Amino acid sequence: MQTRYIPEEHEQKIYDLWQQAQAFNPDHNKQKKNGKTKPFSIIMPPPNANDPLHIGHAMFVALEDTLTRFHRMRGDDTLWLPGTDHAGIETQFVFEKKLQKQGKSRFQFDRKTLYQMIWQYVQDNSNTAVDQIKKLGASCDWSRFKFMLDDDVVRLTKETFTKMHEDGLIYRDIRLVNYCTKCGTSYSELEVQSLEQTTNLYYVRYPLLDSPKEHIVVATTRPEPIFADTHLAVHPKDKKHRQLIGKQVCNPLTQKPMSIIADEFVDPKFGTGIVKLTPAHDANDFAVAQKHKLPAHIAITREGKLTELAGKYAGLKVAEARIQIVADLQTQGLIEKIDTSYKNTVKICYKCSRVIEPLPLPQFFVSVNKPNNSLTKAALRALANKETKIYGAGREKILKHWLTNLHDWNISRQIVWGIRMPVWYQTDGYEAAITVSFLNKKGEYTSGTLGELLKKYSIATIKKGLQSLLADASVPYQVGDTAPSNSHNYLPETDTFDTWFSSAQWPVTTLKTTKQGDFARFYPTTLMETGYDILPFWVMRMMLLGIYLTGKSPFSEVYLHGLVRDSHGKKMSKSKGNVVNPLDMVEKYGADAVRMALVIRSTPGIDKSVGERDFIAMRNLTNKIWNATRYVLLQDREDSPTAPGDVVVEKKRAQLSSKLTKLLLTRKIGVAADVTYDAFWHWFCDDCIESHKKAEISTTCLSATLQTFLQLLHPFMPFVTEVCWRELCPDSLLINSAWPT
RNA sequence: GAACUCGUAGCUCAGUUGGUUAGAGCGCCACAUUGACAUUGUGGAGGCCAGAGGUUCGAGUCCUCUCGAGUUCACCA
């Protein structure tokens, strides 16, 4: 043996050895404990198949593999199920950027071609992700690997939609949705971020209809959709303004009459105490309009341009229109003043950071709090009765807060990459209410209402080349994977599911499609381990749909790791240039060092600072393990069977094992790693080996203690411990050995 | 506006459900060492555990308040 441990000489060989022995597969690992074994299962958070792994992935691999190996060694029926995600919008976004670099855009491709291009891209990346996870030493069962777009997973995902639809938990209706005009899709409330900004608050004059010389002043940050407004509102108890209720003013852009109504939502103290109502483009106004049955005129298109209602401004982008409209109003003397230092918060797209446009669109929603079938209340019950326990610094409260304030979930996405919603719209009799875009026989994009298009094209042609479809809320639809077989004509939905709709079912859809019996054997799973940043996106929704589908919460424990930060506690980002690539570190210091550096002294829910110095420190530990093994191997084991100090060493060894077991069972993984490190280095190496040199403890005892340490360290640092174990016991595998008690 | 987290050695962080004298890694100082390991060993300096009150036989740990840092949610015409 060399004086130094060189990871790259061993890691691949050891990993192959484990795989050959089928050590990761619970079906080949029915060992040890005679009779009953307890199941232990983790579903791996499927990495997005769009980018190489980052340090956060290394974190989850390290933590999950540590627990998996620990439980496997304890003799539990252990499954760690790997997979990858198609990651709908994320992937399409990354792919579009790639296209952009090549000077192309998604609009140059029909949906079938685009889908296939992304499919290929994702396959390549998915393979890279799998290779990288293997390099980190993950002992997950690759024979059960699942991909979110596997046929069987897709089928189950659609079945869930159908079932929920039948149960009245899915509805289609016009709601004000968060629409990103750049990404070309709507989002749920979770994908929208807030940004505080300084903006102009315009005080606009609305002339009274009766006496045009007088006017009412209304403050607004968004003057551009004024032409679509038909009402103003005041608070009913506002003494200053209530005499205005029922009066009429002129729309300053269209000169059309507008009525003044009363509603409690108006804050008399804000601005002038009078609000203009833009029901189609503001959440509050939308709600008020519904209450008072006011019309909602659409002023802004899905492309972010003004509609024909805008007259001479039609077709202008929102920002440009604002400038022109304000200028025109000023020349007419209809702007009283402009407050240029007004602070407000706008919603922006979490992907491209553009301002979100609230648009009224017919979309599919999951009803999350239906009175007699509340998904959120069921999840809250699971938390209250500890069916699911959360590890992660106050995150349970945050989860409860989400669950008690959640709005219905918009699951329609206007993107190609994803699982297409199994929905069919009846076209007969609704030709005017359906707008489509399709490729004609010459391959040209053609769009318009179905009524117009059917004058020139057959329904079959349109169906064949269909690119996108938008049906009014009034159009009847059927849910199903294939077109309904009746006398009507149907066109399919072109929207795909929110990516989280499929990942919310992941624990169920994976275990139901791997091996016969897996679902009964491993569901509910033991533990879900992931970053706290996707608690509402993923963990919460897995609870919602998992409980809905099975009656049981999908996991009994949730371990939320913190985000990995740089050595100064700063967030890693490409622009700061402080991103640590885990695979580079694996090449330099070995997988064991990377894993241990991430895990040691980490705490659930608390961010973890990691720098190169930490990897070096843990690389030194691998070397220490290697050299302690060398020392033992150099001894003649027959030489000294017993010595006076053995009893104490054996007792302490047993104490350590049981302490560590307790720590790992209570998921104090960071402490467990710390305790093991300390005991190995400062007790075994510094004391035991030195005592052995003085013949105070026997070689037999020293060797046995080393073996125990290799076992205790194995969950954290699997490669080096396995290498050393095989030097001591060439015929067995450490991964399969029984956890010391 | 609200919730959550954090404040411990020069830096980055632990502190195992309240229990001797508060720990680690890195850094610093001195010394040692040619048969496990310099990716080493021995010894050392360095902390009013943010501050103030409280509970307790006992508080870094539990409670209240203050200050400071960060994250998230909500509202905004």
Side-chain angles (χ1 to χ4, degrees):
Chain A
M1 286 173 87
Q2 297 161 284
T3 59
R4 287 178 188 187
Y5 173 67
I6 319 272
E8 61 186 39
E9 288 180 7
H10 303 283
E11 292 185 348
Q12 188 59 52
K13 283 184 208 157
I14 292 290
Y15 200 85
D16 291 344
L17 210 58
W18 289 331
Q19 286 206 292
Q20 280 156 27
Q22 308 234 46
F24 308 155
N25 186 333
D27 305 325
H28 288 77
N29 203 25
K30 286 176 187 156
Q31 39 147 4
K32 305 149 207 170
K33 287 189 180 170
N34 32 359
K36 55 179 178 190
T37 55
K38 275 200 306 189
F40 177 85
S41 52
I42 299 182
I43 308 290
M44 179 187 292
N48 297 350
N50 58 24
D51 241 352
L53 296 196
H54 56 71
I55 193 83
H57 295 107
M59 179 62 114
F60 89 61
V61 167
L63 288 167
E64 292 169 31
D65 197 43
T66 297
L67 290 177
T68 299
R69 287 175 186 271
F70 165 65
H71 280 276
R72 188 187 293 119
M73 287 172 80
R74 291 192 87 220
D76 295 336
D77 187 21
T78 302
L79 171 66
W80 184 19
L81 195 154
T84 52
D85 192 2
H86 72 299
I89 187 69
E90 299 277 344
T91 306
Q92 183 157 335
F93 191 78
V94 170
F95 188 79
E96 281 174 20
K97 270 192 168 170
K98 231 177 74 127
L99 282 180
Q100 243 172 34
K101 276 189 191 156
Q102 302 165 4
K104 297 175 189 163
S105 111
R106 71 167 184 266
F107 301 109
Q108 292 169 288
F109 305 95
D110 63 280
R111 56 183 299 144
K112 201 174 158 192
T113 310
L114 188 61
Y115 188 91
Q116 278 168 351
M117 284 162 63
I118 303 179
W119 177 273
Q120 192 48 52
Y121 171 70
V122 160
Q123 287 311 307
D124 297 345
N125 272 298
S126 183
N127 293 336
T128 312
V130 167
D131 285 344
Q132 295 183 331
I133 291 169
K134 286 180 177 173
K135 284 217 163 66
L136 287 161
S139 69
C140 47
D141 181 8
W142 295 109
S143 75
R144 283 173 163 89
F145 178 85
K146 298 302 293 184
F147 175 50
M148 195 66 76
L149 298 184
D150 284 346
D151 289 342
D152 43 14
V153 174
V154 168
R155 180 174 47 78
L156 287 180
T157 305
K158 288 180 178 173
E159 277 175 24
T160 301
F161 177 78
T162 309
K163 181 170 146 59
M164 292 180 85
H165 190 261
E166 283 163 6
D167 288 347
L169 289 171
I170 300 263
Y171 62 91
R172 182 172 193 269
D173 204 356
I174 294 178
R175 290 292 139 94
L176 215 55
V177 298
N178 301 302
Y179 197 89
C180 176
T181 54
K182 163 82 168 83
C183 298
T185 184
S186 63
Y187 286 112
S188 77
E189 58 184 322
L190 304 196
E191 277 108 350
V192 170
Q193 291 182 333
S194 300
L195 180 74
E196 198 179 66
Q197 58 167 21
T198 305
T199 185
N200 291 346
L201 184 63
Y202 304 93
Y203 287 76
V204 182
R205 291 172 171 157
Y206 286 63
L208 283 169
L209 197 63
D210 301 339
S211 49
K213 295 262 161 70
E214 291 176 68
H215 46 248
I216 288 172
V217 179
V218 173
T220 179
T221 54
R222 294 203 68 178
E224 66 278 5
I226 281 179
F227 60 84
D229 295 348
T230 53
H231 293 79
L232 300 182
V234 299
H235 195 280
K237 288 185 183 152
D238 180 0
K239 285 186 188 143
K240 215 166 119 200
H241 292 124
R242 69 182 167 197
Q243 79 283 354
L244 293 172
I245 297 165
K247 291 232 166 106
Q248 292 202 308
V249 292
C250 273
N251 186 308
L253 287 179
T254 64
Q255 273 54 279
K256 286 185 184 155
M258 297 172 64
S259 305
I260 299 172
I261 62 159
D263 194 278
E264 266 114 26
F265 98 101
V266 182
D267 177 0
K269 292 191 200 91
F270 187 89
T272 60
I274 307 167
V275 188
K276 75 184 182 76
L277 293 179
T278 313
H281 303 285
D282 178 275
N284 271 325
D285 299 359
F286 189 79
V288 174
Q290 286 207 315
K291 198 164 129 195
H292 296 272
K293 300 205 165 50
L294 307 179
H297 298 308
I298 295 176
I300 297 162
T301 67
R302 291 199 285 164
E303 288 76 38
K305 295 174 179 170
L306 297 207
T307 58
E308 278 134 37
L309 287 178
K312 68 170 184 169
Y313 309 107
L316 287 180
K317 291 220 165 178
V318 166
E320 178 56 28
R322 183 176 302 177
I323 294 167
Q324 292 197 17
I325 286 173
V326 168
D328 288 353
L329 287 173
Q330 270 178 321
T331 55
Q332 294 170 58
L334 292 175
I335 300 262
E336 177 148 310
K337 61 171 177 176
I338 301 173
D339 177 356
T340 53
S341 58
Y342 179 67
K343 278 204 174 99
N344 76 344
T345 311
V346 285
K347 291 177 167 185
I348 57 169
C349 173
Y350 85 121
K351 282 287 13 153
C352 72
S353 300
R354 286 205 174 52
V355 173
I356 286 288
E357 203 59 68
L359 293 180
L361 287 173
Q363 307 256 290
F364 283 95
F365 291 85
V366 171
S367 179
V368 297
N369 194 17
K370 208 170 191 272
N372 57 351
N373 192 359
S374 169
L375 302 179
T376 49
K377 290 212 171 89
L380 283 165
R381 271 198 300 277
L383 289 174
N385 63 27
K386 300 276 174 218
E387 188 185 337
T388 293
K389 193 182 168 208
I390 312 276
Y391 295 91
R395 306 288 159 182
E396 179 156 357
K397 278 193 180 175
I398 291 173
L399 178 56
K400 283 179 178 164
H401 184 261
W402 273 108
L403 283 167
T404 37
N405 295 289
L406 198 65
H407 298 120
D408 283 355
W409 174 14
N410 172 12
I411 53 168
S412 299
R413 294 293 177 276
Q414 293 73 51
I415 58 171
V416 165
W417 181 240
I419 299 173
R420 197 147 161 187
M421 301 177 103
V423 168
W424 298 81
Y425 297 98
Q426 184 186 323
T427 57
D428 326 328
Y430 296 92
E431 290 85 352
I434 299 175
T435 313
V436 298
S437 164
F438 78 106
L439 291 174
N440 66 18
K441 281 180 179 160
K442 290 181 198 152
E444 300 158 339
Y445 268 95
T446 314
S447 38
T449 65
L450 201 55
E452 285 301 312
L453 294 169
L454 282 172
K455 290 176 188 163
K456 279 178 77 182
Y457 305 94
S458 74
I459 186 86
T461 307
I462 293 170
K463 195 169 179 175
K464 190 156 175 266
L466 188 64
Q467 295 298 303
S468 69
L469 176 149
L470 182 65
D472 285 357
S474 60
V475 178
Y477 66 91
Q478 304 246 349
V479 172
D481 224 4
T482 51
S485 51
N486 57 36
S487 55
H488 289 298
N489 279 311
Y490 288 88
L491 281 178
E493 173 64 274
T494 50
D495 284 359
T496 48
F497 285 121
D498 177 7
T499 189
W500 298 107
F501 183 74
S502 47
S503 33
Q505 305 170 51
W506 192 235
V508 179
T509 50
T510 49
L511 285 172
K512 282 201 167 167
T513 53
T514 44
K515 283 191 181 150
Q516 188 85 32
D518 274 359
F519 184 76
R521 185 171 162 195
F522 295 113
Y523 192 94
T525 65
T526 313
L527 185 131
M528 172 51 60
E529 195 286 324
T530 190
Y532 65 74
D533 51 331
I534 54 173
L535 175 67
F537 292 96
W538 195 40
V539 178
M540 176 178 76
R541 282 157 171 178
M542 277 192 287
M543 291 186 73
L544 296 181
L545 293 197
I547 296 172
Y548 167 71
L549 287 169
T550 70
K552 287 176 188 162
S553 182
F555 23 73
S556 41
E557 301 169 41
V558 177
Y559 187 103
L560 297 165
H561 65 249
L563 307 184
V564 183
R565 293 167 174 272
D566 76 2
S567 58
H568 298 287
K570 294 259 155 44
K571 213 170 180 175
M572 287 187 189
S573 74
K574 280 180 192 164
S575 53
K576 279 188 209 145
N578 61 350
V579 175
V580 173
N581 180 336
L583 276 302
D584 290 350
M585 294 300 112
V586 167
E587 252 179 57
K588 257 172 118 169
Y589 304 113
D592 292 325
V594 171
R595 295 168 51 133
M596 192 59 158
L598 290 168
V599 167
I600 194 163
R601 272 167 268 128
S602 72
T603 314
I606 305 287
D607 292 351
K608 172 78 177 159
S609 265
V610 174
E612 198 138 353
R613 61 172 189 217
D614 300 292
F615 298 120
I616 292 171
M618 294 306 135
R619 186 272 316 269
N620 294 352
L621 175 61
T622 61
N623 197 55
K624 196 77 177 169
I625 296 168
W626 171 264
N627 274 298
T629 307
R630 277 181 67 217
Y631 177 83
V632 170
L633 284 167
L634 290 169
Q635 312 306 314
D636 182 350
R637 283 195 249 184
E638 309 294 307
D639 203 29
S640 76
T642 58
D646 289 1
V647 184
V648 177
V649 170
E650 276 156 23
K651 194 176 162 199
K652 200 163 171 187
R653 188 211 298 162
Q655 279 171 352
L656 180 68
S657 300
S658 90
K659 184 181 189 177
L660 206 57
T661 306
K662 208 178 282 173
L663 287 170
L664 286 172
L665 285 176
T666 52
R667 313 307 182 208
K668 294 179 190 301
I669 308 172
V671 177
D674 198 20
V675 164
T676 316
Y677 174 103
D678 186 66
F680 177 74
W681 198 305
H682 300 298
W683 176 59
F684 183 76
C685 294
D686 292 352
D687 294 352
C688 295
I689 291 183
E690 294 310 313
S691 300
H692 178 266
K693 286 177 184 170
K694 294 180 221 153
E696 287 164 8
I697 63 172
S698 69
T699 305
T700 315
C701 175
L702 189 75
S703 175
T705 307
L706 175 62
Q707 284 191 35
T708 301
F709 266 109
L710 292 179
Q711 292 177 307
L712 299 180
L713 284 160
H714 182 255
F716 306 105
M717 312 184 88
F719 289 112
V720 65
T721 50
E722 186 73 82
V723 171
C724 292
W725 181 271
R726 291 184 63 73
E727 293 288 340
L728 292 165
C729 324
D731 300 328
S732 70
L733 280 173
L734 174 55
I735 192 175
N736 287 331
S737 72
W739 184 255
T741 49

